[in-house]
Amino acid sequence: MLAGAAALLATAGRSRAGQSGPRVATLDWALIETLLAIGANVVAGTELRQFRQVAVAPEVPGTVADLGLRGTPNFEVLRFARPDLIFNSNFYAWADPLMSRIAPVESHSVYVPGQSPYQLAEKATLAIGERLQLASARSLVDELSERLDRYRRELADGNDRPILPINLGDARHYRVFGSDSMFGEVLARLGLSNAWTGTTSYSAMAPVGIETLATMPDAWIVLIPPHPEDAFRALTEGAFWKALPAVREGRVLTIGSVNPYGALPAAGRFADFLAEGLSSARNR
């Protein structure tokens, strides 16, 4: 198995030989989307099949080695990927001593209790860009800031209802994203209010009973995939769902899948979906 992995990664290394800059790897999804977005030479990441389904963008090249589960990465595959530098976060700090035997480890955290994930994502993006000498990092920060300002101006009129960003767990429960989440921060930067004013645990709260949707009758409900198809079908076909004011009045948006614990690329993707959905609803 290891010989096969070595052959595969050797081929991947040759196919990416034209990629400039240090060979980098990470266990963290917020960091891999940042690295990909700024054009870093990424050679290894974790749970890439699921990342492609959940985060969707930035695109992960097929040459990037999959290290397996984030909680139990394959360090042999990481070694075969021959990274020059490994980026890590507070979520996986336990792996630092093991990974440091393979390559130098540098830590950047986006999700820290009591701190702004958006500001931390900006800080991490700029620090990584400086470390890798990629000017595209500054471009990513500035372009997204300008885009959010533009959306804020465009949404200034006629969007005074609060927004409830949720992800379904099953037909009776959901996960809600509070003001301390990346989604919550994007709402604030767009001049929109978060309908969830309760507490959250590390950016999101789960599970929350579906019956609580009735306590926020004025809100837009924003469904953020992925969610179990059977749960979505059971919920939307039920009498409770159909009786909700948001459903009766057409105030439900189902957007594309977004990494809920992402960095600036996820923030931009969520903002794009939300601005498009709200603008389309206003023009109907």
Side-chain angles (χ1 to χ4, degrees), residues 155 159 163 190 192 220 222 253 273-283:
L155 297 173
N159 288 294
I163 309 295
L190 296 181
L192 303 170
W220 277 90
V222 178
L253 293 179
F273 282 133
L274 192 59
E276 180 183 2
L278 292 176
S279 296
S280 298
R282 182 172 56 186
N283 296 329

Side-chain angles (χ1 to χ4, degrees), residues 125-270:
T125 301
L126 294 174
I128 291 171
E130 182 177 0
R131 180 69 171 83
L132 301 178
Q133 297 185 329
L134 292 171
S136 51
R138 168 56 70 179
S139 298
L140 173 61
V141 170
D142 292 344
E143 189 279 330
L144 179 56
S145 179
E146 292 169 2
R147 196 157 91 238
L148 295 183
D149 286 343
R150 185 177 73 251
Y151 287 155
R152 184 186 183 99
R153 293 191 299 271
E154 293 173 354
L155 297 173
D157 297 326
N159 288 294
D160 53 350
R161 290 183 180 275
I163 309 295
L164 183 68
I166 65 173
N167 169 255
L168 293 182
D170 56 44
R172 301 182 66 179
H173 301 90
Y174 63 88
R175 174 171 54 166
V176 64
F177 299 94
S179 60
D180 57 344
S181 68
M182 185 64 80
F183 298 153
E185 288 228 62
V186 169
L187 291 179
R189 289 170 183 267
L190 296 181
L192 303 170
S193 60
N194 194 325
W196 182 260
T197 58
T199 59
T200 57
S201 176
Y202 218 170
S203 299
M205 174 63 75
V208 177
I210 205 72
E211 69 279 357
T212 58
L213 292 177
T215 67
M216 295 169 277
D218 296 328
W220 277 90
I221 298 175
V222 178
L223 295 169
I224 306 171
H227 41 236
E229 290 186 12
D230 55 342
F232 180 75
R233 184 169 54 253
L235 173 65
T236 56
E237 291 178 355
F240 173 80
W241 176 259
K242 294 177 181 178
L244 290 172
V247 176
R248 296 199 314 267
E249 298 169 15
R251 286 186 279 111
V252 178
L253 293 179
T254 300
I255 66 174
S257 184
V258 185
N259 178 10
Y261 290 99
L264 296 187
R269 183 171 168 82
F270 177 67

